[in-house]
Amino acid sequence: QPRVFSGVQPTGNLHLGNYLGAVSRWVPLQDQMPTIFCVVDSHAITAGFPDRAELVNATREVTAAYLAAGIDPAKSIIFNQSQVREHTELAWIFNCVARMGWLNRMTQFKEKAGKNKENASVGLFAYPNLMAADILAYRATHVPVGDDQKQHLELTRDIAAKFNNDFADRIKELGVGVPNPTPSPELPEELYFPLTEPMIAGPATRIMSLRDGTKKMSKSDASDLSRINLKDDADTIAKKIRKAKTDPDALPSETDGLEGRPEADNLVGIYAALSGKTKQDILGEYGGQQFSVFKPALSDLAVDKLAPMTDEMRRLTAEPGEIDAILKTGAEKASAIAEPVLKDVRKIIGFLDVR
Ligand code: ATP
Ligand code: MG
C-alpha cells in the first residue's frame, strides 16, 4: 500500500529551499498515491520553546504555504503533528528501539547542538526517532524531502528493520504483518513497518545559503540575507540576490565549469529549478555573461514565481479560520489511520489493554 508522508517544521520563515526541495515536489504526487503532509510542530520545540503566538502563527503560515503551493485538502491530508498523539507515543517506543550509537552518528544533531552538546535538549537528540514515528505511524512508503534529511531516513529504515526483526514472531502470531515485497535474508517474510523509500531528486535537493555556498539555506540561519523567504516582497528578493555572494568570473558555458564555484553553482541551480529547465540549459543561455546580467534575470524569475504564492499566503493567514478548519479535518483523518497502527503496536509490545 504506497503512501506519501512529508512535513516542514514551523520554525521561522519558509524559504526557497523548502519550496524547491520539498513542498513544490509534493504537488504532483497527490495524483499518484495517498498523500499526508504534516506541519511538524512537535519538532519545532527541540531547539528551544518559541513564543506561544509565534509558534501558532508559524504553524498557520506553513499550512498557508502548503495550500498556496498547490497542496489540495481534497486530495491530501494536511494537519499539525501535535494534534495526533500517536506520533509521540510511537516515538517513545522508537526511543527504545533505536540505539544510542545510531543517534550519535546523526550529523544534524552535531550541527544544531553546536559546541555546547551538554546543554542541547534531549528532544533535539531524539528528534530522528520522532521523525521515524511521524512516517511509520502511517506506515508510509515514500518520503519526499531535501538532501539534508537523507541520514534521518536511513535511520527510519533501520528502526523499521529492527522492529520487524525483533518482533517477527509476534507480528506473525498476531497476524498483523504484510508480506515483505522485496524479500531479503536480513528481514523476516512478514513486515509490520515498511522500509521507507526516500524521494530525493531533481535539481534542487540542496539549495545553499546566499551568503555561503557551502552551507545549506535554512530557516534557522541567523542571517536573513542568507535565504529567500516565501514571504519576501519583490524589492527584498532583488536586494538579497544582488547581495548574494559570488566570485568575480563570468558564468561558464558547461556545467563542469561550475565545479569549485559553489555560489555560482547554487544560483544557476536555483534558476534551473524555478524555470523547470536543466543547469545546462541555463548555461547555454547565460554562459559567458557576468553576474551583473544573470542576477537581475534571476530576481525577475524568482519574483514571477513567488509573488502569486506570497499573495495567496497573505490572504489565507489574514483570516485563519479556513486554515484552522483544514487542519482540524486533517487531524481527524490522520488519527483514523494512526490509531489502529498504535493499537497493533501496543499489542505487539505486550502492553496490558484494560480499556
Ligand atoms: P531548520 O533550520 O529549522 O531545520 P529547514 O530550513 O532545514 O529549517 P525543515 O523544516 O527542517 O527546514 O525542512 C523541511 C523540508 O525542507 C525538508 O524536506 C528538508 O529536507 C527541506 N529543505 C530544507 N532546507 C533545504 C535546502 N536548503 N534545500 C533543499 N531542501 C531543503
Ligand atoms: Mg531542517
Side-chain angles (χ1 to χ4, degrees):
Q1 196 85 335
R3 181 178 276 140
V4 167
F5 181 94
S6 197
V8 173
Q9 294 187 57
T11 40
N13 282 311
L14 253 84
H15 55 76
L16 200 57
N18 301 135
Y19 177 66
L20 294 174
V23 183
S24 68
R25 297 177 43 235
W26 301 348
V27 178
L29 296 173
Q30 299 180 104
D31 298 314
Q32 295 167 26
M33 52 182 112
T35 41
I36 304 178
F37 299 116
C38 185
V39 182
V40 287
D41 52 3
S42 306
H43 287 285
I45 58 172
T46 49
F49 289 94
D51 188 69
R52 267 196 319 150
E54 200 181 293
L55 182 55
V56 167
N57 288 339
T59 301
R60 289 181 176 140
E61 253 168 31
V62 172
T63 312
Y66 288 3
L67 299 170
I71 304 301
D72 179 353
K75 294 179 183 168
S76 294
I77 298 176
I78 306 171
F79 71 107
N80 57 319
Q81 184 186 21
S82 61
Q83 301 306 293
V84 179
R85 301 208 163 79
E86 281 71 15
H87 291 243
T88 44
E89 185 182 349
L90 188 57
W92 175 254
I93 291 166
F94 288 171
N95 283 345
C96 303
V97 173
R99 307 288 91 187
M100 288 294 286
W102 301 359
L103 285 151
N104 273 328
R105 283 195 287 275
M106 296 295 118
T107 56
Q108 183 181 281
F109 174 74
K110 290 177 196 159
E111 281 158 26
K112 289 202 170 182
K115 287 196 178 62
N116 196 356
K117 287 186 187 47
E118 291 297 308
N119 199 34
S121 76
V122 174
L124 186 67
F125 184 73
Y127 160 123
N129 293 342
L130 178 56
M131 177 166 159
D134 298 337
I135 296 164
L136 295 176
Y138 305 94
R139 297 164 103 178
T141 52
H142 293 75
V143 182
V145 285
D147 178 66
D148 60 303
Q149 292 303 319
K150 198 170 168 186
Q151 198 184 32
H152 291 160
L153 288 181
E154 279 159 13
L155 183 90
T156 301
R157 287 172 71 94
D158 290 344
I159 289 174
K162 184 163 165 57
F163 187 96
N164 288 322
N165 276 320
D166 289 357
F167 300 120
D169 294 346
R170 306 180 188 187
I171 291 165
K172 198 159 192 175
E173 188 186 305
L174 293 165
V176 291
V178 292
N180 181 1
T182 49
S184 75
E186 289 93 60
L187 285 166
E189 278 158 35
E190 281 180 31
L191 307 181
Y192 188 73
F193 289 119
L195 298 191
T196 303
E197 287 294 329
M199 300 175 92
I200 302 172
T205 56
R206 194 175 185 85
I207 300 289
M208 307 310 280
S209 156
L210 298 180
R211 306 302 293 166
D212 177 352
T214 64
K215 250 172 65 184
K216 92 168 181 77
M217 189 178 281
S218 274
K219 282 189 250 104
S220 53
D221 194 312
S223 164
D224 197 51
L225 284 174
S226 70
R227 63 183 161 259
I228 294 175
N229 301 310
L230 297 188
K231 281 203 327 189
D232 285 344
D233 60 23
D235 289 344
T236 311
I237 292 176
K239 184 181 88 183
K240 287 179 176 175
I241 293 180
R242 198 167 60 240
K243 292 194 170 211
K245 186 177 166 201
T246 45
D247 56 48
D249 297 337
L251 283 171
S253 43
E254 300 290 333
T255 45
D256 298 358
L258 291 171
E259 265 164 46
R261 299 179 64 187
E263 286 85 11
D265 189 24
N266 188 39
L267 294 184
V268 171
I270 292 175
Y271 197 112
L274 282 171
S275 59
K277 295 182 187 164
T278 65
K279 284 188 197 174
Q280 189 54 56
D281 292 336
I282 308 312
L283 294 178
E285 225 174 299
Y286 288 97
Q289 302 272 18
Q290 296 294 334
F291 283 105
S292 55
V293 175
F294 182 68
K295 281 181 165 182
L298 178 59
S299 298
D300 289 348
L301 176 65
V303 169
D304 265 10
K305 288 279 163 189
L306 298 183
M309 240 170 66
T310 312
D311 292 346
E312 179 64 359
M313 280 175 71
R314 290 227 169 81
R315 186 190 72 77
L316 286 162
T317 44
E319 206 21 273
E322 189 182 340
I323 288 177
D324 292 2
I326 289 169
L327 291 174
K328 181 168 191 278
T329 310
E332 284 158 7
K333 290 185 189 164
S335 293
I337 303 172
E339 276 171 16
V341 171
L342 265 293
K343 231 183 190 149
D344 286 346
V345 169
R346 283 184 220 114
K347 248 193 241 159
I348 292 168
I349 304 286
F351 288 136
L352 174 64
D353 185 359
V354 292
R355 298 212 297 174

